Amino acid sequence: MSPAVQQTALPAPPLRDFGGGPFGIYVHVPFCATRCGYCDFNTYTAGELGSSASPESWLDALRGEMSTAAAAFDALPSRQPPVSTVFVGGGTPSLLGGDGLADVLEAVRANFTLAADAEVTTESNPESTSPAFFERLRAAGYTRISLGMQSAATHVLRILDRTHTPGRPVAAAREAREAGFDHVNLDLIYGTPGESDADLDASLDAVLAAGVDHVSAYSLIVEDGTAMARKVRRGELPAPDEDVLASRYERIDARLSAAGLRWYEVSNWAASDSGRCRHNLGYWDGGDWLGAGPGAHSHVGGVRWWNVKHPGRYAERIAAAATLPADGWEELTDAERYTERIMLAVRLRSGLPVADLDADGRAAIDGLVAEGLVALRDRVIVLTDRGRLLADGVVRTLLS
């Protein structure tokens, strides 16, 4: 975090103008039915919130934040760009139901102009979806569904504290396709303690049987402060093994590639360019976005801010003052923007142009090529298969 970070009672991010790239909106839904043992996201169960917040109070506050943000953006020198992507995440957005998620998208439309070809995504827990749910979303204007699958193995789901049954994600994906969604994603988590190669193969079989056009696969990370971290610390679960994680990643890539899904970011595969998640590409390409909802992060023109985390405090802040509900902000320095550009662009199949590197970064290229970690194609650095396993090391080398 840069020295420019501000932590005042009512900080006002010093917005100057848009950055010139794509503009997206992320909406954070902070509600979950239960808490997964590996998750450290800003989420709350009904028991944890009590009477301090509800989906209704959250939606009212969200509308207020959208209105305040739109007014702030309208005051900037350049015209506010149309919203190219909307992503509703969490948490468990599907707990809001089809009507609730339609209300969320209406709150966006009431304050911002959506591009004619806007990508509109919502995450969903398979257990809180149905054919009617997907039909309602399609009618409301959603264009993409992302379903949390994690694994097809019952014992792996149990270790992750996931509540859905193994076959439900595939059924939900098919229901979404039948409702008219061309773009459906399934999320996998690999490397969970107790997962075998056969378990992973069964998960991949299920993913491919679902006929989705996008897959995200993330290695299990044991985050501090989670229930899983406490179990690992007590010796009840083994920590993920780095060699096993690398082997599993190679297995995933081989199966998905053979099925026609190509990687476009280290952890993401799509059947076509149109199937790639444009919202996430906006992050990776350094675009601007509004992050609305408790704890959400925003970025506009090199200024980043983050909202107060607790849904009750978030609603109180919006009701008390006509200002963005930020808990702090920072103005990125040139050095920080350079670092983030390298960290994000290296992970993309489209690669990092050599022209974007400083002298030290350019000097490191030959060594990375010699180690077989990157290839140089038309003056663009692209990770090799081996380089994808060691992407963080490639970034460190380019920045050293």
Side-chain angles (χ1 to χ4, degrees), residues 31 51-63 311-312 314-315:
F31 308 109
S51 61
S52 65
S54 67
E56 292 75 22
S57 65
W58 167 83
L59 183 58
D60 285 343
L62 181 74
R63 292 187 179 109
Y314 166 76

Side-chain angles (χ1 to χ4, degrees), residues 369-392:
V369 171
E371 291 181 60
L373 298 176
V374 304
L376 198 55
R377 301 173 186 165
D378 298 324
R379 303 295 293 168
V380 174
I381 298 170
V382 180
L383 292 173
T384 62
D385 290 346
R386 179 167 177 264
R388 277 190 277 161
L389 297 173
L390 300 168
D392 291 344

Side-chain angles (χ1 to χ4, degrees), residues 10-42:
L10 286 173
L15 301 179
R16 295 187 174 86
D17 211 350
F18 293 96
F23 177 55
I25 292 178
Y26 170 77
V27 177
H28 185 69
V29 181
F31 308 109
C32 281
T34 60
R35 182 173 297 282
C36 298
Y38 63 90
C39 179
D40 71 338
F41 292 170
N42 186 45

